[in-house]
Amino acid sequence: MKIYLAGPDVFLPDAVEIGRQKAAICAAHGLTGLYPLDNAIDLTAPDASRQIFAANEAMMDQADAIIANLTPFRGAGADPGTVYELGYMAGRRKFCVAYSNDGATYADRLTRFMDVTSEDGRLVDAQGLTVEDFGLVDNLMMIHALELHGCPLVTPATMPIDVWHNLAAFEACVRMAAARLIAP
Amino acid sequence: MKIYLAGPDVFLPDAVEIGRQKAAICAAHGLTGLYPLDNAIDLTAPDASRQIFAANEAMMDQADAIIANLTPFRGAGADPGTVYELGYMAGRRKFCVAYSNDGATYADRLTRFMDVTSEDGRLVDAQGLTVEDFGLVDNLMMIHALELHGCPLVTPATMPIDVWHNLAAFEACVRMAAARLIAP
């Protein structure tokens, strides 16, 4: 069984090494991890970004499942590139699993980045836009998609010191995927 | 032909009115706009967020296309909830169209929110994570998905003063969708 390994991990300085570690954890549980950086792309090509997209989409199409890293990225919510891939895989009816190394609710987390106030019974951000306040870790579309199309979001009991390198929640996802995808 | 109208518009104080305007523009071009807030959900129900998800997914499943508002939301990139829906519709092989009312490149826009520096030939953010630098308006997954699964992202020549209420780029999307989806 092949698992597409989605996440902003590809933007880390040691992105290749993280991919190697994730693939090794998959292998230890009888699964094959497919990591976007495994695709050999010439980054100096004029259409490099399109080649990356095409290779990622082909990799998703051949995968049986996705494990997405939804740890907040440059703000209160998950990386949109990763979320696109989660949506795509849900649309393809693949098995969807994800984790976030920050288990705070979205509404609580947003207060780290901007003023959030209460107005007529709803929470609003600094621009006056409503803040989702259902006690969920991120936008309801991702959270409930995981419940319906795979497994509920995995979060650690306490936030690890290094949210980008701690793979405990990732390994919990791999165990769940293996239990569901590998016949006993 | 039914078009799912995705976007953080649902978080605006006048979210219902914006949906009404978008649906009217669709109707003027012979299309039926489906807006998430058209679903009647009891927000005091204990499972309100799950009901919203289920209603949105059912609406997407019955739509022929999506027009997604990818205008940057609480940071440098698009709203992850909207991006999830774009990915889902691409996965379902529906026709995908989107606009952003901010046509700056992602890398340029990010400098409004944090320090971005150059390191060994790559751009890095304040946390040391690589910044995508392909001259695209947002993450390459969304940008190239639109080219492959619908029409290229629509952006205005100049950023409107009110990015949340100016619907010129949205109307351009509707025209494109009508030209492709309605038989002559």
Side-chain angles (χ1 to χ4, degrees):
Chain A
M1 287 288 179
K2 294 176 184 164
I3 315 289
Y4 184 75
L5 305 175
D9 311 59
V10 296
F11 301 127
L12 291 171
D14 53 349
V16 171
E17 170 58 18
I18 289 285
R20 201 197 55 74
Q21 291 176 22
K22 285 189 158 183
I25 292 169
C26 287
H29 292 272
L31 297 168
T32 302
L34 303 179
Y35 190 59
L37 294 187
D38 296 342
N39 296 309
I41 307 288
D42 173 7
L43 292 176
T44 65
D47 66 340
S49 65
R50 188 174 293 109
Q51 286 188 46
I52 294 170
F53 168 82
N56 289 358
E57 189 173 276
M59 207 175 230
M60 289 193 281
D61 285 340
Q62 67 164 289
D64 304 288
I66 181 173
I67 297 179
N69 178 358
L70 299 185
T71 301
F73 175 74
R74 292 183 189 145
D79 166 40
T82 301
V83 168
Y84 172 85
E85 296 178 329
L86 178 64
Y88 182 83
M89 291 295 268
R92 302 306 294 154
R93 298 297 185 243
K94 305 294 178 85
F95 192 72
C96 296
V97 188
Y99 68 100
S100 170
N101 272 336
D102 182 344
T105 66
Y106 179 83
D108 283 348
R109 192 183 308 117
L110 187 60
T111 63
R112 298 181 207 156
F113 297 93
M114 60 173 71
D115 284 337
V116 174
T117 53
S118 190
E119 211 170 86
D120 302 330
R122 66 186 181 111
L123 290 184
V124 296
D125 71 9
Q127 283 197 301
L129 276 70
T130 301
V131 176
E132 258 196 35
D133 187 25
F134 293 113
L136 303 175
V137 172
D138 209 325
N139 185 289
L140 68 89
M141 291 307 297
M142 289 91 84
I143 300 301
H144 293 304
L146 289 165
E147 293 169 2
L148 187 70
H149 297 291
C151 297
L153 182 74
V154 174
T155 56
T158 51
M159 188 164 138
I161 292 167
D162 186 342
V163 294
W164 295 120
H165 292 91
N166 186 302
L167 295 179
F170 170 77
E171 186 155 13
C173 289
V174 173
R175 277 195 300 269
M176 283 162 39
R180 287 286 292 271
L181 296 174
I182 301 177
Chain B
M1 287 288 180
K2 294 175 184 164
I3 315 289
Y4 184 76
L5 304 175
D9 312 57
V10 295
F11 300 127
L12 290 171
D14 53 348
V16 171
E17 170 59 18
I18 289 285
R20 202 197 53 73
Q21 290 176 23
K22 284 189 159 184
I25 292 170
C26 287
H29 292 272
L31 297 168
T32 302
L34 303 179
Y35 189 59
L37 295 187
D38 296 342
N39 296 310
I41 308 288
D42 174 7
L43 291 177
T44 64
D47 65 340
S49 65
R50 188 173 292 109
Q51 286 187 47
I52 294 171
F53 168 82
N56 289 358
E57 189 173 276
M59 207 175 231
M60 288 193 282
D61 285 340
Q62 66 163 289
D64 304 288
I66 182 173
I67 297 180
N69 178 358
L70 299 185
T71 301
F73 175 74
R74 292 182 190 145
D79 166 41
T82 302
V83 168
Y84 172 86
E85 296 177 329
L86 178 63
Y88 182 83
M89 292 295 268
R92 302 306 296 153
R93 299 294 184 244
K94 306 292 179 86
F95 192 72
C96 297
V97 188
Y99 68 100
S100 169
N101 272 336
D102 182 344
T105 66
Y106 179 83
D108 282 348
R109 192 183 308 117
L110 187 60
T111 64
R112 298 181 206 155
F113 297 93
M114 59 173 72
D115 284 336
V116 174
T117 53
S118 191
E119 211 171 85
D120 301 330
R122 68 188 179 108
L123 289 184
V124 296
D125 70 10
Q127 284 196 300
L129 275 69
T130 302
V131 176
E132 258 196 36
D133 187 25
F134 294 113
L136 303 175
V137 171
D138 208 324
N139 186 290
L140 67 89
M141 291 307 296
M142 290 91 84
I143 299 301
H144 292 305
L146 290 164
E147 293 169 3
L148 187 70
H149 297 290
C151 297
L153 182 74
V154 174
T155 56
T158 50
M159 188 163 138
I161 292 167
D162 185 343
V163 294
W164 295 120
H165 293 91
N166 185 302
L167 295 179
F170 170 77
E171 185 155 14
C173 289
V174 174
R175 275 195 300 270
M176 282 164 37
R180 286 286 292 273
L181 297 174
I182 301 177

